[in-house]
Amino acid sequence: MAFTKSHLQSMIKTLDPELAAEVEYTLETPSYRRVERVEARHYITWYEKKVTRNDTILEFAKLDYNILQPLYCEELKALTVWWKDLQSQAYARFARDRVVEMHFWMVGVVYEPHQSHARIMLVKWSKLLSLMDDFCDNYSTTEEYDIFVSSLERWDKQSAEKLPAYMKALFIFILNTISDIMEELKLQKNKHVEFVKGLFIDMAKHYGAERKWCDERYVPAKVKEHLQISVGNSACMHIVNITFILMGDITTRVAIEWALSYPEMIRAVCIVGRISNDIMSHEREQVSKYVASTVQTCMEYGITVEEANEKLRELIDEAWMEIVQGCLDKTQPMELLEKAVNVARVMDNMYKCDDAYTYPYSVKDTITSMYVNSV
């Protein structure tokens, strides 16, 4: 890989401009790491310029893209109505208003038109995780957050009576949304409904554990030690598993328990998410709160931020090789493994140049092409 990269970089100036642009694009993101619908739009533009193109295939590709675009917009409409129920309350002060960005993120995981209903549930579930992350970081003390999570574990509306007034509406909103998702899955005769609630509570606990790191100003001695604890904080395993569940009959309990055990492939997906997030959010989070990211742990060896990022990117490359190996081993149906790969792809995409979920301007053009501009 190093040999190929160095030679391609040295050749760029001698290549035809169009080919040079494609080489630069590939060096930035190899094809197997690209988000499928984002790549579909890019490839239509590139393929259209080829003299040897097949115009029938090109027409079908454009039709496919344009047919899915209004479907995604209809999903966004439903999600916006749902989100406004909470946004009208005080939580707009601390929660990132990122429904469009979250939908874009999850389209990268599940883009197929027949999965529209599943995708809406996936976005709601993931948006609630984001809400819990923001609540933990910006709107509660450690003690208050622990009380909130304990109430979630009891999972009944009576638990809300014991919460401070400012937490009650949030608790009920989460309870109602997750319960609605579970009821819809029961109507579909989904066999894995109980995991929907369990995965959400487990991730909420991970956020609480990260908060305690912050309070204790704990810095793991080695990146390996850090990742043993922090891969769970990436939420990647949880998103992979909730996606498995929403896919219906193809998913077995064995597949869910396989992902829950953090096998090498799933752990690698989490590493891609964790480190990519850390590299892009390190500087901001060091200003607003003290969190020992993998970047901070790496810097304990007396190296600069840039050197730490370079070393961590090597770990991302190694993790991708584990993901590829997982697909070759086929321990689960490929239809499921592809969704795990997609989670790694969207993590790579959202944290490529910035923390695009927190600061979405960097993906504004991509989102516009996904939802607004037809081909």
Side-chain angles (χ1 to χ4, degrees):
M1 287 174 67
F3 173 89
T4 307
K5 283 181 180 178
S6 64
H7 279 71
L8 284 171
Q9 285 166 343
S10 68
M11 291 166 61
I12 285 175
K13 291 182 180 179
T14 65
L15 296 173
D16 173 81
E18 285 186 15
L19 183 55
E22 197 61 25
V23 169
E24 285 185 316
Y25 181 66
T26 301
L27 285 169
E28 180 183 306
T29 309
S31 59
Y32 65 93
R33 300 189 190 186
R34 297 177 193 166
V35 176
E36 291 175 283
R37 291 313 290 177
V38 175
E39 177 58 14
R41 182 64 185 87
H42 166 82
Y43 192 73
I44 287 170
T45 302
W46 185 78
Y47 186 75
E48 203 166 21
K49 297 174 184 176
K50 292 183 69 173
V51 177
T52 58
R53 70 181 179 271
N54 182 315
D55 287 329
T56 304
I57 289 176
L58 179 62
E59 184 180 359
F60 274 123
K62 289 182 176 181
L63 280 170
D64 171 73
Y65 196 86
N66 292 339
I67 287 168
L68 282 184
Q69 195 173 62
L71 173 64
Y72 294 156
C73 289
E74 283 298 316
E75 293 169 8
L76 267 182
K77 188 189 297 184
L79 288 162
T80 302
V81 170
W82 163 78
W83 180 244
K84 290 292 181 184
D85 284 348
L86 183 72
Q87 197 184 32
S88 62
Q89 301 171 44
Y91 301 104
R93 293 203 303 264
F94 76 84
R96 286 169 287 183
D97 184 13
R98 299 289 185 271
V99 172
V100 175
E101 291 80 4
M102 183 60 78
H103 185 269
F104 170 70
W105 201 337
M106 295 305 132
V107 164
V109 180
V110 183
Y111 73 86
E112 297 89 347
H114 68 276
Q115 295 287 5
S116 177
H117 200 57
R119 189 163 41 250
I120 289 172
M121 289 189 280
L122 178 62
V123 174
K124 286 182 178 181
W125 191 90
S126 302
K127 191 70 191 80
L128 290 183
L129 277 192
S130 170
L131 190 61
M132 288 299 294
D133 188 19
D134 292 341
F135 177 62
C136 181
D137 286 348
N138 306 318
Y139 205 63
S140 64
T141 65
T142 302
E143 293 73 22
E144 288 170 336
Y145 185 79
D146 287 344
I147 291 169
F148 193 90
V149 172
S150 295
S151 298
L152 281 178
E153 288 184 290
R154 288 191 290 275
W155 204 263
D156 64 83
K157 291 184 179 180
Q158 290 182 347
S159 298
E161 299 306 316
K162 300 175 184 178
L163 294 172
Y166 77 95
M167 289 187 187
K168 288 181 181 179
L170 175 61
F171 180 82
I172 295 298
F173 183 79
I174 290 172
L175 210 69
N176 286 343
T177 300
I178 299 291
S179 296
D180 287 347
I181 291 171
M182 292 170 69
E183 284 302 313
E184 287 187 51
L185 290 176
K186 285 177 182 176
L187 290 174
Q188 297 171 16
K189 302 191 185 309
N190 191 295
K191 300 173 184 177
H192 314 296
V193 175
E194 74 274 13
F195 288 103
V196 174
K197 176 176 69 176
L199 284 164
F200 185 83
I201 294 170
D202 183 65
M203 193 60 230
K205 289 179 178 178
H206 277 291
Y207 290 141
E210 184 181 56
R211 178 66 174 268
K212 289 182 173 67
W213 275 25
C214 180
D215 293 345
E216 297 165 4
R217 302 181 72 81
Y218 171 64
V219 182
K222 296 181 179 179
V223 173
K224 186 176 180 180
E225 177 195 348
H226 193 297
L227 291 173
Q228 284 175 341
I229 305 169
S230 65
V231 287
N233 291 355
S234 71
C236 292
M237 182 281 289
H238 301 75
I239 294 170
V240 167
N241 237 335
I242 197 70
T243 303
F244 283 3
I245 292 162
L246 293 171
M247 288 181 70
D249 292 341
I250 189 173
T251 303
T252 63
R253 193 177 189 91
V254 171
I256 294 170
E257 290 174 349
W258 171 79
L260 280 170
S261 70
Y262 287 94
E264 286 299 321
M265 182 181 179
I266 299 300
R267 189 172 185 278
V269 172
C270 293
I271 287 172
V272 171
R274 177 72 277 145
I275 295 179
S276 299
N277 185 330
D278 285 354
I279 288 173
M280 287 302 158
S281 60
H282 169 75
E283 188 174 336
R284 170 178 55 85
E285 292 197 342
Q286 291 307 299
V287 173
S288 61
K289 60 177 183 175
Y290 187 89
V291 177
S293 68
T294 49
V295 177
Q296 183 66 34
T297 294
C298 223
M299 289 172 65
E300 292 296 306
Y301 294 101
I303 61 177
T304 64
V305 172
E306 292 74 19
E307 289 169 332
N309 288 346
E310 193 58 38
K311 286 184 176 294
L312 290 169
R313 287 191 178 99
E314 290 174 8
L315 293 181
I316 291 175
D317 288 341
E318 290 174 13
W320 271 107
M321 291 301 96
E322 289 288 354
I323 293 169
V324 171
Q325 188 62 51
C327 291
L328 293 172
D329 292 342
K330 293 186 179 178
T331 53
Q332 300 298 327
M334 199 61 204
E335 193 173 346
L336 296 181
L337 296 180
E338 283 174 353
K339 301 311 177 191
V341 177
N342 285 347
V343 171
R345 286 170 173 158
V346 294
M347 287 296 191
D348 181 270
N349 182 261
M350 292 297 282
Y351 297 107
K352 175 66 70 179
C353 304
D354 202 345
D355 175 355
Y357 183 67
T358 304
Y359 302 109
Y361 190 81
S362 62
V363 291
K364 180 181 177 182
D365 291 343
T366 307
I367 287 177
T368 302
S369 69
M370 183 75 75
Y371 299 100
V372 182
N373 300 332
S374 58
V375 183

